[in-house]
Amino acid sequence: MQTESPPLAAATATQVARIVVAGHVDHGKSTLIGRLMYDLGLLHQSKIDDVVAASSRRGVAPEWSYVLDSLQEERDQAVTIDTTRIWFTHRQRRYTIIDAPGHRQFLANMLSGASEADAAILVVDAAAGIGEQTLRHAYLLAFLGIRHVIVALNKIDLLDDARVRYGELSAQLRDALRRTPPVAVIPVSASRGDNVAARAATTPWYDGPTIVDALEAVRRVAPPVQRPLRIAVQDVYRRDGARIVAGTVAGGTVASGDPLVLLPADVPVVAHRLVRWPDGDVAGAAAGETIGVVLDGERFAGRGDVLAPPLDRPQVAQRLVLEMFWVDVRGPLQNERLRLKRGTQDVPVVVDGTPSAYDIEEARTLGAAGDAQHNIVTLQVRATSPVVFDRRADDPHGARCVLLRGSRVAAIGFTIDAADASGDGGGPVTLVERERRSGRRAAIVWLTGLSGAGKSTLARAAERELFERGIAVSVVDGDLLRSTLNTDLAFSDEDRAESVRRAAAVAGILAETGHVVIVSLISPFVSDRARARDAARHPFYEVYVNAPLATCEARDPKGLYRRAREGAIRSFTGIDSPYEPPASPDLELRTDTLSVPEAAAELVAFVDGVTAPSR
Amino acid sequence: MTNETADLDQLEHAAIAIIREAYATLRPLAMLWSMGKDSTALLWLVRKALYGEVPFPLVQLDTELELDEVYAFRDRLAREWALDLRVELCPPEAEMDPTLPPATRAAARKTEGLKNYLQRENAQGIIVGIRRDEQATRAKERIFSPRSVGGTWDVRAQPPELWGYYATDVPHGAHVRVHPLLHWTELDVWRYTQRETIPYVDLYLARGGMRYRSLGERNITVPIRSDAASLDEIIAELAATREPERAGRVMDNESEDSFERLRAAGYM
């Protein structure tokens, strides 16, 4: 049903190139960039004056690294602490130059800068030779998938016989960088400007490109338009009655009318409409673009879900093998609990078995992950719910993931494969397994309305009927919560909001165990109910139990209206606190005209319909 | 098909994805709006990202020293776009760190105003329209920049940030600054403003050979020499200039580290 070709603008643009400059500390990365800026005439005179003045205050010759190293501490210690960026346009092309720190302790910062680069310049001090971080940076560039590496053999002005040294070092480097052979090895003096923008008279034996020539040859890495479609759902917005499933197209293309599958739940859907604001409907979207998808019918997508083509779908599994660059000081421990972020999924995982570390510098496997930090760790994890991912061998982009320890990033890397193809069996019981056994979809049915409208009565009547039909059902009742969980809350707007939040949380926990949960709570404010719906990780239905105030007050089953009128109760909904009815409830029950059995039957029929397994 | 603003499309999609991440993961969320070109373009991007709505408060850190045209612009847009505008009055200059140079001290008022807002509203996330190219220390920023309980910025302890995975966990009392425009340049903002026909304060346009390139308070911002009286002319001017954008901001140029000190203490 691919109707029209989607717009490819984001994919075909080639005017931008992002270059990371990496290498061992003190090998001259920042100086090279500063020099490049100077030679291309990109520095304002005030910046040049600033560099000269700041250099002379510290008693050194003009130090071009000051152009980038802007922090006081960096200038005083002559070291780059975090990545910094420089932008310029040269020959109709936009460049972003990212200066990555060379100290081992700042490797995480180097990764942050390098992760989005199209190409890298690896700076090596020709006098000092290959440094510890030279190899580590080269390995990481390959790990991140950066294939275009330019080597700048810097400080040739300090050598007696530059030609011989260049020959030796370029042979060593080409051997060390076998994983990603460099496109060029350029003899450079950043402080003197040799072979940066202009060909140097001091290297007549070199006939390769200058740094600027090499930059001009860099090609932008385009978003993976040719890959199968992947949209990780970021959020769902309700606008004008439609539920807009928002996300970025991570790979491939999508057109309105395309049949898709919603994962991990494995629900067939159709991309009924594709929408943007203020444009409205659009025909298609391609990798790298954000989009909103309106799915056909009542389909409940949520953050963490993935939209993919039915036949070219990603893997779904609970046990996974990961290959990670370990950032944190402490390596992973067997049975340790971590968090896996993959796409917009954020899932608790347990480390299974013994992780194994590979030492980048020594190029050997260490076995048990004692010295994991700044090395590559292979480990197996067991997730508490199914994870949607691509194998790195199939699609490195869809395999990118992060492991958190608490709230801190512990490692970054890739999903390699499912460890256990069956997915189920062993490990925590998942919602999918529960739903498969109960034959029903879990859901939250939220009854809102005035006190005395009949919410609790209907909730209990529906619960009985659903129970008799063998459906796992629970009621979360506002009065019961008031006397148990919410004894600390009164009836201010803030306390009401909190009570709605707690009721939603309790309902969510029950729904996670596969139950159909009926919530009975006045919940007078539209905004509180909207938050409850947004927070629900399950299908959520709003039911307006509607009876006029006069009817409710006449019923007054608990004598509360009388006491409110007498002033014994303050902030009573309907009397001296407002009730905001739902604008478009999923179901409305008029309890002033329907009998209890009639209204309960309607509610049961509704619940039965929305939790049916075929949906 | 050629597209002369394909680079803007990339920036736009990236910013929209960032705004949606912030809205999905940080509650309560708010956004700083200075009525300048950057935060107004950002406001437009928020409406794009969230389908026409701005479902969180827009905070103006008010020193009562903005130019009259800026206040008029604020009130007009707040009305037309139905914005939840919160005007946060900043504490007086007399309460600021007396060791700061004078104009830097004036700017520090906004840091304190922001702290007051965050503390009172317990905001977990605050969207800010800063760009890396504005000022060298801003170039070190993360897109999601966690701030400690005091609102301070520790450049040495920033989390790794890659592949769209952001730091979204906030300890109680702390918050995350979100910077969707971090990769944009001044020229991008103007080209985007023109392409999308986003409203802007007309003080940016030259009158009598002078225009504002950056809009700050009356007492610490000065106009620059320019004949650029339309967006086309501003774009042409910026494509050629090497004059730093914040040359008209007094505080940036008082001493080598004045801006760094401001930012470490929590300035935007």
Side-chain angles (χ1 to χ4, degrees), chain A residues 112-157:
Chain A
S112 306
S115 63
E116 57 194 87
D118 300 303
I121 299 176
L122 187 65
V123 181
V124 180
D125 183 330
I130 296 171
E132 174 206 344
Q133 297 308 309
T134 309
L135 293 178
R136 205 173 291 272
H137 281 193
Y139 189 97
L140 286 178
L141 293 171
F143 185 70
L144 292 169
I146 296 167
R147 299 275 168 253
H148 194 106
V149 177
I150 302 155
V151 173
L153 213 52
N154 192 21
K155 306 192 188 179
I156 55 159
D157 51 310

Side-chain angles (χ1 to χ4, degrees), chain B residues 222-234:
Chain B
V222 290
I224 58 159
R225 285 190 189 288
S226 168
D227 292 317
S230 68
L231 290 192
D232 278 331
E233 288 170 11
I234 288 179

Side-chain angles (χ1 to χ4, degrees), chain A residues 170-219:
Chain A
S170 47
Q172 279 180 31
L173 278 161
R174 286 185 191 279
D175 183 51
L177 306 185
R178 280 186 311 274
R179 282 169 62 105
T180 24
V183 294
V185 179
I186 309 174
V188 165
S189 164
S191 61
R192 211 162 59 186
D194 292 2
N195 292 326
V196 176
R199 186 159 293 283
T202 52
T203 55
W205 40 267
Y206 173 75
D207 60 358
T210 62
I211 294 289
V212 171
D213 296 337
L215 289 181
E216 286 174 5
V218 170
R219 292 284 155 265

Side-chain angles (χ1 to χ4, degrees), chain B residues 109-184:
Chain B
R109 293 181 60 197
K110 293 204 170 182
T111 315
E112 296 308 311
L114 176 59
K115 279 182 193 168
N116 289 344
Y117 177 84
L118 290 169
Q119 208 158 43
R120 198 178 56 250
E121 303 293 329
N122 189 31
Q124 301 284 286
I126 188 115
I127 301 178
V128 186
I130 64 163
R131 310 187 321 267
R132 279 195 168 118
D133 77 328
E134 282 174 285
Q135 212 285 334
T137 66
R138 283 181 178 171
K140 306 276 182 185
E141 269 291 1
R142 293 284 191 268
I143 292 169
F144 276 54
S145 177
R147 298 309 174 100
S148 61
V149 174
T152 52
W153 182 51
D154 183 358
V155 71
R156 301 190 72 114
Q158 299 201 81
E161 179 172 82
L162 70 171
W163 298 336
Y165 294 113
Y166 301 116
T168 54
D169 294 303
V170 185
H172 186 73
H175 70 281
V176 176
R177 302 272 176 91
V178 182
H179 302 132
L181 298 185
L182 205 56
H183 292 152
W184 295 51

Side-chain angles (χ1 to χ4, degrees), chain A residues 155-455:
Chain A
K155 306 192 188 179
I156 55 159
D157 51 310
L158 302 180
L159 300 178
D160 294 333
D161 193 344
R163 181 178 190 168
V164 172
R165 183 67 175 149
Y166 172 82
E168 287 169 14
L169 266 178
S170 47
Q172 279 180 31
L173 278 161
R174 286 185 191 279
D175 183 51
L177 306 185
R178 280 186 311 274
R179 282 169 62 105
T180 24
V183 294
V185 179
I186 309 174
V188 165
S189 164
S191 61
R192 211 162 59 186
D194 292 2
N195 292 326
V196 176
R199 186 159 293 283
T202 52
T203 55
W205 40 267
Y206 173 75
D207 60 358
T210 62
I211 294 289
V212 171
D213 296 337
L215 289 181
E216 286 174 5
V218 170
R219 292 284 155 265
R220 163 90 202 224
V221 178
V225 176
Q226 303 304 327
R227 297 290 317 157
L229 175 73
R230 301 285 183 262
I231 300 175
V233 177
Q234 279 186 289
D235 212 339
V236 179
Y237 309 118
R238 291 189 302 155
R239 300 284 184 272
D240 302 326
R243 293 171 67 86
I244 300 172
V245 177
T248 298
V249 184
T253 58
V254 61
S256 65
D258 279 357
L260 303 173
V261 62
L262 185 66
L263 297 167
D266 197 359
V267 179
V269 294
V270 173
H272 179 53
R273 295 167 55 210
L274 300 177
V275 290
R276 292 207 176 102
W277 188 91
D279 326 13
D281 285 49
V282 295
E289 298 180 350
T290 52
I291 193 67
V293 187
V294 180
L295 301 174
D296 64 325
E298 290 275 300
R299 300 301 183 188
F300 288 95
R303 182 172 169 83
D305 289 345
V306 174
L307 288 167
L311 296 179
D312 219 341
R313 51 174 72 194
Q315 311 287 315
V316 179
Q318 281 187 249
R319 288 163 185 264
L320 300 92
V321 178
L322 311 177
E323 190 179 305
M324 311 297 288
F325 174 75
W326 209 264
V327 177
D328 208 4
V329 180
R330 189 162 57 77
L333 302 171
Q334 190 174 352
N335 292 326
E336 184 182 5
R337 290 185 162 275
L338 300 168
R339 275 163 66 191
L340 174 67
K341 282 193 178 186
R342 167 53 236 148
T344 52
Q345 278 191 291
D346 185 343
V347 184
V349 297
V350 175
V351 178
D352 252 353
T354 316
S356 116
Y358 171 85
D359 188 308
I360 294 174
E361 206 187 328
E362 305 285 326
R364 64 190 176 91
T365 301
L366 299 172
D371 192 15
Q373 192 184 25
H374 299 156
N375 284 318
I376 303 292
V377 174
T378 304
L379 73 165
Q380 189 174 315
V381 295
R382 192 172 76 235
T384 55
S385 57
V387 178
V388 184
F389 66 97
D390 283 293
R391 286 187 288 242
R392 183 171 59 182
D394 297 337
D395 182 1
H397 199 279
R400 294 168 167 184
C401 63
V402 169
L403 277 177
L404 303 186
R405 176 178 275 139
S407 62
R408 291 161 50 91
V409 173
I412 64 116
F414 300 92
T415 48
I416 303 304
D417 205 345
D420 174 356
S422 78
D424 297 346
V429 182
T430 65
L431 179 60
V432 171
E433 291 173 79
R434 291 181 199 275
E435 288 184 340
R436 203 173 291 152
R437 178 162 298 178
S438 72
R440 284 281 165 175
R441 293 200 60 182
I444 298 172
V445 180
W446 191 282
L447 310 190
T448 172
L450 290 168
S451 177
K455 298 181 297 300

